[in-house]
């Protein structure tokens, strides 16, 4: 929806539609490369100029930063994460946004480890959130590259035996959200949102978990109309 609103030409493949790389989750370089090559081979044989990664932290790590080492060369296409794509489209006027209607109260942003510390996307989500929420957007007391991990990273969320430990780790986020009095938390990593959903249910918190990309999609101003 966002790419269409910006007038971009794009496609999605049924053959290589998954960017999650379980090889990197289990620390297996051979499997990491094998899974990454599904996307690389399809993109290069199709003449794709830019591969846009959806809201997945480990995918941007593997496909932007580890890929040249895995391949022994640079890929024949650019790699970007959807957060930076949306920020560029907004800054250049390719998309316009109205105030978001998902939450009437205060919201905050959780910086995913791979997105902020590995990929350096710090100001891009904040640019979008200020446009969507204005002064309803509040920052956690430790944020950006110094933000605390949500507790579910590195595939830990998939390990049932680790559930008590990751819920204990999530207590840091509980305190941060309580200090701000927010009604919703936003993130640009699906793994982080799964952890927040589990943690919020575990602690019985009245807080919504939102996707930044979905918020932007819902807030798009149709061509020919003025923004709110």
């Amino acid at each position: 929806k966002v790419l269409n609103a910006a007038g971009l030409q794009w496609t999605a493949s049924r053959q290589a539609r998954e960017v999650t790389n379980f090889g990197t989750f289990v620390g297996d370089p051979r499997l990491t490369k094998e899974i990454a090559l599904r996307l690389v081979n399809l993109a290069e044989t199709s003449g794709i100029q830019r591969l846009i990664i959806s809201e997945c932290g480990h995918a941007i790590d593997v496909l932007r930063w580890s890929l040249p080492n895995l391949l022994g060369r640079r890929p024949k296409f650019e790699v970007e994460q959807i957060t930076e794509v949306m920020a560029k489209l907004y800054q250049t006027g390719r998309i316009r946004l109205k105030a978001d209607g998902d939450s009437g109260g205060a919201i905050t942003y959780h910086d995913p480890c791979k997105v902020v510390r590995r990929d350096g996307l710090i100001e891009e989500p904040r640019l979008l959130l200020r446009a969507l929420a204005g002064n309803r957007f509040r920052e956690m007391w430790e944020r950006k590259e110094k933000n605390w991990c949500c507790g579910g990273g590195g595939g830990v969320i998939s390990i049932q035996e680790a559930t008590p430990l990751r819920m204990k780790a999530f207590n840091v986020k509980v305190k941060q959200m309580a200090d701000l009095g927010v009604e919703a938390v936003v993130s640009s990593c699906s793994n982080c949102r799964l952890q927040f959903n589990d943690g919020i249910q575990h602690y019985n918190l009245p807080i919504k978990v939102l996707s930044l990309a979905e918020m932007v999609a819902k807030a798009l101003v149709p061509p020919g109309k003025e923004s709110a």
Side-chain angles (χ1 to χ4, degrees):
K1 188 175 179 181
V2 175
L3 301 181
N4 285 341
L8 298 181
Q9 289 186 322
W10 65 278
T11 187
S13 172
R14 289 180 294 179
Q15 298 158 319
R17 60 183 177 84
E18 173 63 85
V19 294
T20 303
N21 193 309
F22 288 98
T24 193
F25 278 166
V26 299
D28 185 335
R30 181 198 61 79
L31 184 58
T32 300
K33 181 178 180 179
E34 179 183 330
I35 294 173
L37 280 173
R38 297 173 188 170
L39 287 158
V40 173
N41 291 338
L42 182 66
E44 292 189 338
T45 57
S46 302
I48 297 299
Q49 297 177 342
R50 180 167 51 155
L51 180 65
I52 299 176
I53 305 301
S54 54
E55 293 183 323
C56 177
H58 286 83
I60 194 65
D61 184 357
V62 172
L63 292 168
R64 173 132 75 178
W65 300 108
S66 300
L67 192 58
N69 288 332
L70 290 171
L71 298 178
R73 61 174 176 84
R74 291 192 174 276
K76 300 175 183 179
F77 50 85
E78 299 290 330
V79 178
E80 290 186 316
Q81 208 255 14
I82 188 62
T83 304
E84 65 183 311
V85 173
M86 295 188 300
K88 289 177 182 177
L89 293 175
Y90 177 70
Q91 284 181 306
T92 56
R94 299 285 296 273
I95 60 172
R96 294 181 299 154
L97 303 174
K98 61 179 181 295
D100 165 64
D102 276 316
S103 172
I107 67 173
T108 191
Y109 179 71
H110 167 73
D111 288 282
C113 294
K114 293 291 186 180
V115 175
V116 62
R117 279 188 278 272
R118 181 66 157 156
D119 205 40
L121 298 181
I122 297 174
E123 296 306 324
E124 289 85 349
R126 288 164 171 81
L127 170 74
L128 295 168
L129 283 168
R130 285 191 290 268
L132 293 169
N135 58 14
R136 293 192 295 110
F137 171 52
R138 300 177 184 176
E139 291 273 23
M140 296 183 187
W141 42 266
E142 287 185 318
R143 56 189 180 272
K144 300 183 178 181
E145 69 273 20
K146 296 182 179 180
N147 189 38
W148 282 86
C149 174
C150 64
V156 175
I157 197 169
S158 302
I159 304 173
Q160 186 175 359
E161 293 81 0
T163 298
L165 180 60
R166 67 183 177 92
M167 288 301 104
K168 185 176 180 179
F170 187 75
N171 194 47
V172 174
K173 311 310 295 186
V174 172
K175 292 177 180 178
Q176 288 181 320
M177 293 185 292
D179 287 345
L180 296 176
V182 297
E183 293 185 7
V185 59
V186 185
S187 190
S188 54
C189 174
S190 57
N191 193 74
C192 291
R193 292 201 306 276
L194 288 172
Q195 168 72 347
F196 269 87
N197 280 324
D198 286 352
I200 284 171
Q201 182 178 10
H202 177 81
Y203 287 98
N204 194 28
L205 304 176
I207 297 175
K208 291 189 284 187
V209 182
L210 304 175
S211 153
L212 180 59
E214 289 181 8
M215 287 179 69
V216 170
K218 291 179 181 178
L220 289 169
V221 177
K225 294 187 178 182
E226 296 299 321
S227 60

